[in-house]
Amino acid sequence: MSEVTVNTEWLSDCSGCHIAIVDLHEKILNLLQAIKIQRCPVLTDIKDYPHASVGLVSGAIRNEHDRHAAQAMRDSCDIVLAWGSCAVFGGPAGAGNIHTPAEIAAAVYLDNKTTIPSPPPSREVSPLESVVSPLDTVIEVDLYLPGCPPHPLFVFEALSALVEGRQPEVSRRSVCAKCKRRMEKSEVAAVRSNSDGIPDAEQCFLSQGYSCMGSVTIDRCLAPCPSNGVPCTGCAGATMQILTEPNRDIRTEIADRMSRLTRIGREDIIASLERSAKSHYSYTMATAMIGNKPTFHIKKWIEDEQADFEAGREL
Ligand code: SF4
Ligand code: SF4
Ligand code: SF4
């Protein structure tokens, strides 16, 4: 088997996907027998892009530097893998799409209560583009591995498959498939927020009136959050059903399920989800697959919430 050479690059991201390599633990030794990592910002200070069989790109496109780096990876790598939810969907930074770059810069550099106000950098960092964009809006992508970051099991399978020259075998099921909580009918009559009481440890969050995105989120994590008492926030991105069927929508799917499992009205659940839409769509709102849905009106939902807040109406 010929040696597989690997380049990696990070664009606008938190670096978590690169740090996730360490989560491979001893398995990384198996991989290193078959691959040669030539370029990796977290390991080496190489600035150029040698030719490689495989390119792993984490992070979204947010400025001119990201565009150049993405293109350099495409030009130098035979196969490009969009690695993590930022590269695949725009990731959590996509929530910034509902603000202008000037508003974001002011919030970070001027109005931040925890730092000394200072002007945003103007020369050292290329300016923010008006929106965050997924990787495949700039270059052709061969494989997608969402997750924030993807679980080591999936990272290992993706890299092993590339080394062996086959398609990765990854689940198409939702997070619920790996969650042990019981989905069952309850008498709960009102939507709860995460700060309302302590959820039962064994019953499905939806049965208890808490929003959990597990049923509309693709499993790239093995359900660590619901297994440890925390509802899923959908960081791996939506299931194939949500992504591919225009009228299927995160909030209506959750509302259908929760209303069947409780005594809460479907419209009340939808209204609650719209009020917290920034949380529920934060990982995928930058992708056209979500942003162009006829059922997706995040700007309106946020404006409605803001108007209620300013009018002193209860949220
Ligand atoms: S997908 Fe998540 S872990 Fe990976 S770079 Fe983006 S924010 Fe960080
Ligand atoms: S909706 Fe959430 S709590 Fe319920 S089964 Fe799915 S992942 Fe588990
Ligand atoms: S359970 Fe949900 S929020 Fe938690 S890691 Fe998995 S996809 Fe992300």
Side-chain angles (χ1 to χ4, degrees), residues 191-227:
V191 176
R192 291 169 166 162
S193 77
N194 287 355
S195 56
D196 291 337
I198 299 174
D200 180 89
E202 292 177 1
Q203 193 178 44
C204 169
F205 285 113
L206 298 182
S207 301
Q208 303 181 61
Y210 294 100
S211 304
C212 178
M213 300 293 111
S215 62
V216 289
T217 302
I218 196 158
D219 172 29
R220 291 292 175 270
C221 61
L222 312 182
C225 302
S227 306

Short mmCIF file of all heavy atoms in Angstrom, two decimals, residues 191-227:
data_model
loop_
_atom_site.label_atom_id
_atom_site.label_comp_id
_atom_site.label_asym_id
_atom_site.label_seq_id
_atom_site.Cartn_x
_atom_site.Cartn_y
_atom_site.Cartn_z
N VAL A 191 -44.02 23.66 28.19
CA VAL A 191 -42.62 23.58 27.76
C VAL A 191 -41.74 24.03 28.90
O VAL A 191 -42.06 24.97 29.62
CB VAL A 191 -42.39 24.50 26.54
CG1 VAL A 191 -40.92 24.50 26.13
CG2 VAL A 191 -43.26 24.09 25.37
N ARG A 192 -40.61 23.34 29.09
CA ARG A 192 -39.66 23.73 30.13
C ARG A 192 -38.38 24.25 29.49
O ARG A 192 -37.99 23.80 28.42
CB ARG A 192 -39.31 22.51 30.99
CG ARG A 192 -40.47 22.04 31.85
CD ARG A 192 -40.12 20.70 32.45
NE ARG A 192 -41.02 20.34 33.53
CZ ARG A 192 -41.16 19.11 33.98
NH1 ARG A 192 -40.47 18.12 33.44
NH2 ARG A 192 -41.99 18.85 34.95
N SER A 193 -37.74 25.18 30.20
CA SER A 193 -36.40 25.60 29.76
C SER A 193 -35.38 24.81 30.57
O SER A 193 -35.73 24.20 31.59
CB SER A 193 -36.22 27.10 29.98
OG SER A 193 -35.98 27.35 31.34
N ASN A 194 -34.13 24.86 30.12
CA ASN A 194 -33.10 24.05 30.78
C ASN A 194 -32.92 24.41 32.25
O ASN A 194 -32.39 23.63 33.02
CB ASN A 194 -31.76 24.18 30.04
CG ASN A 194 -31.80 23.42 28.74
OD1 ASN A 194 -32.78 22.74 28.45
ND2 ASN A 194 -30.76 23.56 27.93
N SER A 195 -33.34 25.62 32.63
CA SER A 195 -33.16 26.03 34.03
C SER A 195 -34.35 25.64 34.90
O SER A 195 -34.37 25.92 36.09
CB SER A 195 -32.94 27.54 34.11
OG SER A 195 -34.02 28.21 33.48
N ASP A 196 -35.37 25.00 34.30
CA ASP A 196 -36.55 24.60 35.07
C ASP A 196 -36.35 23.21 35.67
O ASP A 196 -36.51 22.19 34.98
CB ASP A 196 -37.81 24.56 34.17
CG ASP A 196 -38.24 25.94 33.74
OD1 ASP A 196 -37.89 26.91 34.44
OD2 ASP A 196 -38.92 26.05 32.71
N GLY A 197 -36.00 23.18 36.95
CA GLY A 197 -35.91 21.90 37.66
C GLY A 197 -34.80 21.00 37.17
O GLY A 197 -33.98 21.39 36.34
N ILE A 198 -34.76 19.80 37.73
CA ILE A 198 -33.75 18.81 37.34
C ILE A 198 -34.46 17.71 36.56
O ILE A 198 -35.36 17.06 37.09
CB ILE A 198 -33.05 18.22 38.58
CG1 ILE A 198 -32.35 19.35 39.34
CG2 ILE A 198 -32.06 17.12 38.18
CD1 ILE A 198 -31.74 18.92 40.66
N PRO A 199 -34.10 17.52 35.29
CA PRO A 199 -34.79 16.50 34.48
C PRO A 199 -34.58 15.10 35.04
O PRO A 199 -33.55 14.80 35.64
CB PRO A 199 -34.13 16.63 33.10
CG PRO A 199 -33.33 17.89 33.13
CD PRO A 199 -33.02 18.20 34.55
N ASP A 200 -35.58 14.24 34.82
CA ASP A 200 -35.43 12.82 35.13
C ASP A 200 -34.27 12.28 34.31
O ASP A 200 -34.06 12.66 33.16
CB ASP A 200 -36.74 12.09 34.76
CG ASP A 200 -36.64 10.61 35.05
OD1 ASP A 200 -36.98 10.23 36.18
OD2 ASP A 200 -36.21 9.84 34.17
N ALA A 201 -33.51 11.36 34.93
CA ALA A 201 -32.28 10.90 34.28
C ALA A 201 -32.51 9.82 33.22
O ALA A 201 -31.61 9.50 32.45
CB ALA A 201 -31.31 10.37 35.34
N GLU A 202 -33.73 9.24 33.21
CA GLU A 202 -33.93 8.11 32.30
C GLU A 202 -34.97 8.35 31.22
O GLU A 202 -35.02 7.64 30.22
CB GLU A 202 -34.31 6.87 33.11
CG GLU A 202 -33.13 6.42 33.96
CD GLU A 202 -33.43 5.25 34.85
OE1 GLU A 202 -34.57 4.75 34.81
OE2 GLU A 202 -32.52 4.85 35.58
N GLN A 203 -35.82 9.36 31.42
CA GLN A 203 -36.89 9.60 30.45
C GLN A 203 -36.39 10.57 29.37
O GLN A 203 -35.58 11.48 29.64
CB GLN A 203 -38.08 10.24 31.19
CG GLN A 203 -39.35 10.25 30.39
CD GLN A 203 -40.49 10.85 31.21
OE1 GLN A 203 -40.33 11.87 31.88
NE2 GLN A 203 -41.65 10.23 31.15
N CYS A 204 -36.86 10.38 28.16
CA CYS A 204 -36.51 11.28 27.05
C CYS A 204 -36.83 12.73 27.43
O CYS A 204 -37.87 13.00 28.06
CB CYS A 204 -37.32 10.87 25.82
SG CYS A 204 -37.23 12.05 24.47
N PHE A 205 -35.95 13.65 27.06
CA PHE A 205 -36.19 15.06 27.39
C PHE A 205 -37.50 15.56 26.78
O PHE A 205 -38.19 16.38 27.37
CB PHE A 205 -35.03 15.92 26.89
CG PHE A 205 -33.78 15.82 27.73
CD1 PHE A 205 -32.63 15.24 27.22
CD2 PHE A 205 -33.76 16.30 29.04
CE1 PHE A 205 -31.48 15.15 27.99
CE2 PHE A 205 -32.61 16.20 29.82
CZ PHE A 205 -31.47 15.62 29.29
N LEU A 206 -37.82 15.08 25.59
CA LEU A 206 -39.05 15.55 24.94
C LEU A 206 -40.27 15.15 25.77
O LEU A 206 -41.22 15.92 25.90
CB LEU A 206 -39.17 14.99 23.52
CG LEU A 206 -38.08 15.37 22.52
CD1 LEU A 206 -38.38 14.76 21.15
CD2 LEU A 206 -37.96 16.88 22.40
N SER A 207 -40.25 13.95 26.35
CA SER A 207 -41.35 13.50 27.20
C SER A 207 -41.50 14.39 28.43
O SER A 207 -42.57 14.45 29.02
CB SER A 207 -41.12 12.06 27.68
OG SER A 207 -40.99 11.18 26.60
N GLN A 208 -40.41 15.07 28.81
CA GLN A 208 -40.44 15.93 29.99
C GLN A 208 -40.69 17.40 29.65
O GLN A 208 -40.66 18.27 30.52
CB GLN A 208 -39.12 15.80 30.74
CG GLN A 208 -38.79 14.38 31.15
CD GLN A 208 -37.47 14.31 31.91
OE1 GLN A 208 -37.31 14.91 32.96
NE2 GLN A 208 -36.51 13.57 31.37
N GLY A 209 -40.84 17.70 28.34
CA GLY A 209 -41.10 19.08 27.95
C GLY A 209 -39.86 19.92 27.69
O GLY A 209 -39.95 21.12 27.47
N TYR A 210 -38.68 19.28 27.72
CA TYR A 210 -37.43 20.01 27.42
C TYR A 210 -37.10 19.83 25.93
O TYR A 210 -37.25 18.72 25.40
CB TYR A 210 -36.26 19.45 28.22
CG TYR A 210 -36.35 19.65 29.72
CD1 TYR A 210 -36.79 18.61 30.54
CD2 TYR A 210 -36.01 20.86 30.30
CE1 TYR A 210 -36.87 18.78 31.92
CE2 TYR A 210 -36.08 21.04 31.68
CZ TYR A 210 -36.52 20.00 32.49
OH TYR A 210 -36.60 20.16 33.84
N SER A 211 -36.60 20.88 25.29
CA SER A 211 -36.19 20.76 23.89
C SER A 211 -34.91 19.93 23.81
O SER A 211 -33.95 20.23 24.50
CB SER A 211 -35.89 22.14 23.29
OG SER A 211 -36.99 22.95 23.43
N CYS A 212 -34.94 18.93 22.99
CA CYS A 212 -33.73 18.13 22.72
C CYS A 212 -33.70 17.92 21.22
O CYS A 212 -34.69 17.50 20.63
CB CYS A 212 -33.78 16.79 23.46
SG CYS A 212 -32.35 15.76 23.10
N MET A 213 -32.56 18.21 20.61
CA MET A 213 -32.44 18.14 19.15
C MET A 213 -32.04 16.76 18.65
O MET A 213 -31.78 16.57 17.46
CB MET A 213 -31.38 19.14 18.66
CG MET A 213 -31.65 20.60 18.97
SD MET A 213 -33.06 21.23 18.08
CE MET A 213 -34.20 21.46 19.42
N GLY A 214 -31.94 15.78 19.56
CA GLY A 214 -31.41 14.47 19.18
C GLY A 214 -32.10 13.83 17.99
O GLY A 214 -31.46 13.25 17.13
N SER A 215 -33.43 13.96 17.92
CA SER A 215 -34.16 13.26 16.86
C SER A 215 -34.00 13.92 15.49
O SER A 215 -34.34 13.33 14.48
CB SER A 215 -35.64 13.18 17.22
OG SER A 215 -36.18 14.48 17.33
N VAL A 216 -33.49 15.15 15.45
CA VAL A 216 -33.30 15.84 14.16
C VAL A 216 -31.82 16.09 13.88
O VAL A 216 -31.47 16.87 13.00
CB VAL A 216 -34.07 17.18 14.13
CG1 VAL A 216 -35.56 16.96 14.06
CG2 VAL A 216 -33.71 18.06 15.32
N THR A 217 -30.95 15.38 14.64
CA THR A 217 -29.50 15.59 14.51
C THR A 217 -28.83 14.28 14.11
O THR A 217 -29.12 13.23 14.69
CB THR A 217 -28.92 16.08 15.85
OG1 THR A 217 -29.58 17.28 16.21
CG2 THR A 217 -27.42 16.33 15.74
N ILE A 218 -27.95 14.35 13.14
CA ILE A 218 -27.26 13.14 12.69
C ILE A 218 -26.25 12.70 13.75
O ILE A 218 -25.64 13.55 14.42
CB ILE A 218 -26.59 13.37 11.31
CG1 ILE A 218 -26.23 12.04 10.67
CG2 ILE A 218 -25.38 14.28 11.42
CD1 ILE A 218 -26.07 12.12 9.16
N ASP A 219 -26.14 11.40 13.92
CA ASP A 219 -25.24 10.88 14.97
C ASP A 219 -23.80 10.88 14.47
O ASP A 219 -23.43 10.02 13.67
CB ASP A 219 -25.67 9.47 15.37
CG ASP A 219 -24.65 8.83 16.31
OD1 ASP A 219 -23.98 9.59 17.04
OD2 ASP A 219 -24.50 7.60 16.28
N ARG A 220 -23.02 11.83 14.97
CA ARG A 220 -21.57 11.81 14.76
C ARG A 220 -20.86 11.94 16.10
O ARG A 220 -19.75 12.47 16.19
CB ARG A 220 -21.15 12.97 13.82
CG ARG A 220 -21.62 12.80 12.40
CD ARG A 220 -20.93 11.64 11.67
NE ARG A 220 -21.47 11.41 10.34
CZ ARG A 220 -22.48 10.59 10.07
NH1 ARG A 220 -23.06 9.89 11.03
NH2 ARG A 220 -22.91 10.43 8.83
N CYS A 221 -21.56 11.46 17.17
CA CYS A 221 -21.02 11.71 18.51
C CYS A 221 -21.30 10.59 19.50
O CYS A 221 -20.75 10.57 20.58
CB CYS A 221 -21.60 13.00 19.04
SG CYS A 221 -23.40 12.91 19.20
N LEU A 222 -22.23 9.68 19.20
CA LEU A 222 -22.66 8.60 20.10
C LEU A 222 -23.43 9.14 21.32
O LEU A 222 -23.38 8.56 22.40
CB LEU A 222 -21.47 7.73 20.54
CG LEU A 222 -20.53 7.25 19.43
CD1 LEU A 222 -19.44 6.36 20.02
CD2 LEU A 222 -21.30 6.50 18.35
N ALA A 223 -24.09 10.27 21.15
CA ALA A 223 -25.05 10.80 22.15
C ALA A 223 -24.47 11.09 23.53
O ALA A 223 -25.07 10.73 24.54
CB ALA A 223 -26.25 9.86 22.25
N PRO A 224 -23.33 11.76 23.63
CA PRO A 224 -22.79 12.02 24.98
C PRO A 224 -23.65 12.96 25.81
O PRO A 224 -23.69 12.83 27.03
CB PRO A 224 -21.42 12.65 24.69
CG PRO A 224 -21.56 13.28 23.35
CD PRO A 224 -22.49 12.37 22.59
N CYS A 225 -24.33 13.90 25.17
CA CYS A 225 -25.04 14.92 25.96
C CYS A 225 -26.26 14.33 26.66
O CYS A 225 -26.32 14.37 27.90
CB CYS A 225 -25.38 16.12 25.08
SG CYS A 225 -23.90 16.85 24.34
N PRO A 226 -27.24 13.76 25.93
CA PRO A 226 -28.36 13.17 26.66
C PRO A 226 -27.94 12.05 27.60
O PRO A 226 -28.59 11.80 28.61
CB PRO A 226 -29.29 12.66 25.54
CG PRO A 226 -28.48 12.64 24.30
CD PRO A 226 -27.40 13.66 24.47
N SER A 227 -26.84 11.38 27.29
CA SER A 227 -26.37 10.31 28.20
C SER A 227 -25.84 10.88 29.50
O SER A 227 -25.68 10.17 30.49
CB SER A 227 -25.26 9.49 27.54
OG SER A 227 -25.69 9.00 26.30
#
